[in-house]
Amino acid sequence: MIRTVLLAPLALLFISSSQLAYAAGNVVSIPLQRSFNRNSNILVARRTARTQIKQGKRLMQLAPDVDFDEDTHDVEPDFGQVRLTDATDTYYYGVISVGTPSQNFTVTFDTGSANMWIPGVRCTSKACLQHNRYDHDLSSTYQPLNGQFAIQYGTGEVRGFTSQDTVRVGGITIKDQPFAETTSEDEVFELPDTEFDGLFGLAFKSLSSGGLVPPMTKMIEETLVDEPVFAFALSQGHRSFGELLLGGYNELHYKGELRWMRVTRAKYWQVTMEGIWYGDGKFNLLSLSKDRDVSKIPLDLITASSTEAPLTDTWHQEKADAAAEKARKKARRKAKEGDSEMDMDTKRRHPPTDSSPKIKKLLPTGSDASPETSAIMDTGTSFLLGDPSSIQLISRIIGADFRTGDMSCAHLNELKSFWISLGGFKFEIAPEHYVYRDPVKQTCSSAWVPSYDSPFWVLGDSFLRAYYAVFDMKDKKVGLAPINMPLRHF
């Protein structure tokens, strides 16, 4: 079993004041040489190249060791790129280095948290002893912060103290980055369950424990990246490779157009969630399972298409009573507020269905329509976590045990896709993504997991694997599009 993949930090580029790019006819010469001094040098080179290419000029006379991508017209296209290793389709990790000289660590890049932590050499927990540990006494750029650190995740806790040092990720050098050295870690972080050493949080600063500045926030504040954006392309298949791109996104990694959703609260990457549908069924499972005994809902009602959904007498009466009560409330509200029928009709209108086969338009992005709930995009969570009532109904539909998630692998080809409405768009999640197949045990289980204490749904890797996900920290929005990335293995 390979635990650590060490990637050499990508070299940066340097442009001296006497070697600025110049244009002669349709040729642009950009003499570049390697340097590890400033991240901004490579950004200048890339922006110059992009500008000149857009003007119809072509690049020549690049130094022999400088990469130039003919397809994307990028100088050093790997700058900001982190290769992610898929560990049994349950989590992903990449490599960073800390200190001077560098000490290498594997970390999971987590959009559901905002702190960075790595095992400290003073940690004697079994989990720490099984992983790479950071020794600040060996680093000439280390500075103590002397703060206490403790954070509780859904599966375990880590404790330690805060430090500051140089961090390198994807060829980007972050000086004086605050983080935590752990002194104790729960057993959930032990091998073989957890191959990565530490965690690299990518949520907003408001979520950070101890008020530490998250690495991505610091990169943006110090202009170390092209744009205040990062993007994930998660692979599927044990030991396959995915990608995290810091400072931009790769248009070659997705199909169609990105569908942008507004972040409703800049803490997590949280968006509105309007509903879940099974196949081409007409019923929103979130609404259907709310305040109702889901064990009594007839499955033929849910699984039938929207044009042929049958209604039993009991169900028909229940729906009729609910509709009557809704009409009475509407009448009282109109009498009180003077709301016009035209206004109500306008609120009910839907725009045309989007042409993408994996994304359907439901409501305008950023709609003021009241959502059923909300959801966060969390690369640090393996599966899909939601309210127990809805998960129980979903489990019935796909034939999974509600409590354990166990299900047969024999009838997977008979299952349909679910559609999840987020920020006004419906996104497809196919059986290959919501059914987890253990590559070792050759068993199947549902990726839909009940959560009894979360105020929102958590859409983890099972969902995000189907999409190229772009996170914009400046404009506070998330963009999704069907992924288009070849599968690569060790």
Side-chain angles (χ1 to χ4, degrees):
M1 181 176 293
I2 299 175
R3 178 171 61 82
T4 304
V5 181
L6 301 182
L7 304 179
L10 295 173
L12 309 185
L13 298 175
F14 172 73
I15 306 179
S16 68
S17 59
S18 62
Q19 293 178 314
L20 294 175
Y22 63 88
N26 68 337
V27 176
V28 179
S29 178
I30 306 181
L32 300 170
Q33 65 187 54
R34 300 280 179 168
S35 172
F36 293 90
N37 295 326
R38 296 178 58 208
N39 290 278
S40 59
N41 297 323
I42 194 171
L43 302 185
V44 172
R46 293 174 72 176
R47 289 166 185 161
T48 301
R50 290 170 181 171
T51 300
Q52 300 297 345
I53 288 293
K54 287 181 180 179
Q55 295 174 355
K57 300 178 175 65
R58 55 191 175 89
L59 297 176
M60 292 184 66
Q61 300 178 13
L62 290 175
D65 61 346
V66 172
D67 294 332
F68 178 72
D69 191 310
E70 293 288 350
D71 294 324
T72 62
H73 298 153
D74 261 352
V75 172
E76 288 289 339
D78 290 342
F79 181 75
Q81 184 184 92
V82 182
R83 186 171 68 172
L84 302 177
T85 299
D86 180 347
T88 66
D89 284 344
T90 54
Y91 59 87
Y92 299 78
Y93 58 82
V95 175
I96 65 171
S97 64
V98 182
T100 307
S102 296
Q103 301 174 48
N104 292 317
F105 302 91
T106 54
V107 295
T108 185
F109 293 88
D110 181 16
T111 59
S113 64
N115 289 95
M116 172 187 156
W117 60 262
I118 51 178
V121 73
R122 291 162 180 76
C123 180
T124 57
S125 299
K126 183 177 179 181
C128 292
L129 297 176
Q130 292 176 335
H131 292 87
N132 297 317
R133 293 184 296 167
Y134 167 71
D135 188 345
H136 61 234
D137 290 333
L138 301 179
S139 175
S140 62
T141 47
Y142 159 76
Q143 296 179 47
L145 293 181
N146 299 320
Q148 296 301 305
F149 177 84
I151 189 166
Q152 178 72 48
Y153 296 99
T155 54
E157 183 185 46
V158 296
R159 290 182 174 274
F161 57 90
T162 56
S163 299
Q164 186 171 284
D165 208 336
T166 297
V167 174
R168 299 172 184 83
V169 54
I172 300 170
T173 300
I174 316 169
K175 296 181 179 179
D176 302 324
Q177 172 62 47
F179 60 95
E181 299 180 45
T182 63
T183 54
S184 69
E185 298 180 13
D186 282 352
E187 62 182 13
V188 70
F189 297 104
E190 296 175 6
L191 291 173
D193 294 332
T194 302
E195 296 182 15
F196 57 83
D197 301 318
L199 186 140
F200 192 101
L202 288 167
F204 292 92
K205 183 180 177 180
S206 56
L207 185 61
S208 176
S209 177
L212 300 180
V213 179
M216 189 66 199
T217 300
K218 203 164 193 302
M219 283 186 257
I220 294 169
E221 291 176 348
E222 298 185 2
T223 324
L224 303 180
V225 289
D226 279 312
E227 302 293 340
V229 172
F230 60 90
F232 278 90
L234 300 182
S235 58
Q236 181 160 7
H238 183 51
R239 297 300 181 219
S240 61
F241 291 134
E243 176 189 289
L244 164 64
L245 187 60
L246 303 168
Y249 57 91
N250 191 333
E251 295 180 352
L252 300 177
H253 285 345
Y254 62 87
K255 306 170 187 175
E257 298 180 0
L258 289 166
R259 302 306 185 193
W260 292 100
M261 297 158 285
R262 184 182 63 207
V263 171
T264 57
R265 185 185 180 195
K267 189 174 183 179
Y268 296 95
W269 292 97
Q270 183 173 340
V271 300
T272 59
M273 181 177 180
E274 295 82 19
I276 302 176
W277 291 259
Y278 181 67
D280 58 354
K282 65 181 293 185
F283 293 105
N284 182 342
L285 303 184
L286 293 186
S287 300
L288 204 59
S289 61
K290 189 174 182 180
D291 301 323
R292 188 177 282 119
D293 184 353
V294 297
S295 65
K296 296 181 179 180
I297 299 177
L299 286 183
D300 56 352
L301 174 73
I302 305 167
T303 57
S305 69
S306 58
T307 59
E308 58 184 24
L311 292 175
T312 64
D313 290 342
T314 303
W315 183 260
H316 188 279
Q317 185 60 50
E318 183 178 357
K319 294 294 289 184
D321 293 344
E325 178 61 23
K326 183 177 181 180
R328 287 192 291 270
K329 290 181 178 179
K330 175 183 174 181
R332 289 195 295 268
R333 184 172 63 251
K334 287 177 63 178
K336 182 178 180 180
E337 302 178 359
D339 198 4
S340 68
E341 186 66 32
M342 181 179 296
D343 290 338
M344 297 302 290
D345 286 341
T346 300
K347 293 177 183 178
R348 285 197 290 264
R349 291 174 187 163
H350 291 176
T353 300
D354 188 78
S355 59
S356 170
K358 292 182 76 66
I359 302 176
K360 295 180 180 179
K361 191 72 179 291
L362 177 67
L363 296 169
T365 301
S367 168
D368 292 329
S370 298
E372 290 284 352
T373 184
S374 60
I376 67 169
M377 309 291 172
D378 186 0
T379 58
T381 294
S382 302
F383 303 123
L384 303 111
L385 280 59
D387 73 84
S389 183
S390 296
I391 297 297
Q392 184 178 1
L393 181 56
I394 290 172
S395 298
R396 284 188 64 210
I397 293 171
I398 64 176
D401 185 290
F402 167 62
R403 292 176 176 79
T404 66
D406 294 340
M407 60 186 295
S408 171
C409 298
H411 305 291
L412 298 185
N413 60 341
E414 300 173 9
L415 297 177
K416 301 177 183 178
S417 294
F418 285 91
W419 293 85
I420 303 177
S421 174
L422 302 169
F425 296 98
K426 276 188 175 181
F427 295 91
E428 181 184 10
I429 175 168
E432 65 189 83
H433 293 118
Y434 69 74
V435 176
Y436 173 68
R437 305 192 69 159
D438 191 303
V440 178
K441 299 178 181 178
Q442 296 298 309
T443 57
C444 292
S445 59
S446 170
W448 301 93
V449 179
S451 175
Y452 294 90
D453 54 5
S454 174
F456 38 65
W457 281 66
V458 181
L459 303 181
D461 299 338
S462 295
F463 174 77
L464 293 172
R465 261 193 298 275
Y467 294 94
Y468 191 67
V470 182
F471 300 81
D472 188 325
M473 299 199 81
K474 178 183 178 182
D475 293 336
K476 298 178 176 58
K477 60 183 182 179
V478 181
L480 297 177
I483 197 166
N484 178 36
M485 191 172 179
L487 190 63
R488 295 173 296 167
H489 288 83
F490 281 107

